[in-house]
Amino acid sequence: MSDATEEMSLEELREEIEEIDRELVELIARRTYVAGTVAEVKEQRGLPTTDESQEDRVMERAGENAETFDVDANLVKAIFRLLIELNKVEQRDKR
């Protein structure tokens, strides 16, 4: 491979990562919106902000999905823990 081809390939890969990053942020925004809607439903029904059994199910699914896609389960679970905690903070702030 020539240097120009390697650079082009590297640039294309970086562009792909950039697109993936945008999609990740979009998915986080969607998840946050839906979690906000969940918070509204919980408030209307007088339900507590925290639902540990639901959190456990989310974490279990995260681990299963990590295995399916051959991604480090600890990394995926850490990301989901952070998302869950951020959603709980938002839910508490809205109450």
Side-chain angles (χ1 to χ4, degrees), residues 13-27:
L13 291 168
R14 286 179 174 160
E15 287 174 8
E16 186 170 350
I17 286 174
E18 197 174 308
E19 177 62 20
I20 292 167
D21 290 348
R22 188 197 65 72
E23 291 172 9
L24 285 170
V25 172
E26 181 181 358
L27 290 171

Side-chain angles (χ1 to χ4, degrees), residues 39-55:
E40 291 173 11
V41 170
K42 285 180 178 181
E43 185 174 13
Q44 290 169 358
R45 296 181 183 176
L47 298 171
T49 300
T50 302
D51 181 346
E52 290 188 22
S53 65
Q54 176 61 19
E55 290 175 27

Side-chain angles (χ1 to χ4, degrees), residues 1-12:
M1 244 187 237
S2 71
D3 285 348
T5 305
E6 288 176 2
E7 274 303 310
M8 192 170 84
S9 244
L10 182 58
E11 185 58 34
E12 288 172 356

Side-chain angles (χ1 to χ4, degrees), residues 24-81:
L24 285 170
V25 172
E26 181 181 358
L27 290 171
I28 290 168
R30 282 179 51 200
R31 189 182 196 287
T32 301
Y33 173 79
V34 173
T37 305
V38 167
E40 291 173 11
V41 170
K42 285 180 178 181
E43 185 174 13
Q44 290 169 358
R45 296 181 183 176
L47 298 171
T49 300
T50 302
D51 181 346
E52 290 188 22
S53 65
Q54 176 61 19
E55 290 175 27
D56 291 343
R57 288 190 295 275
V58 170
M59 295 305 292
E60 187 175 327
R61 277 195 315 266
E64 290 168 358
N65 286 328
E67 286 180 26
T68 298
F69 292 100
D70 195 27
V71 178
D72 183 304
N74 290 325
L75 171 63
V76 171
K77 287 180 178 184
I79 292 167
F80 273 83
R81 269 189 219 99

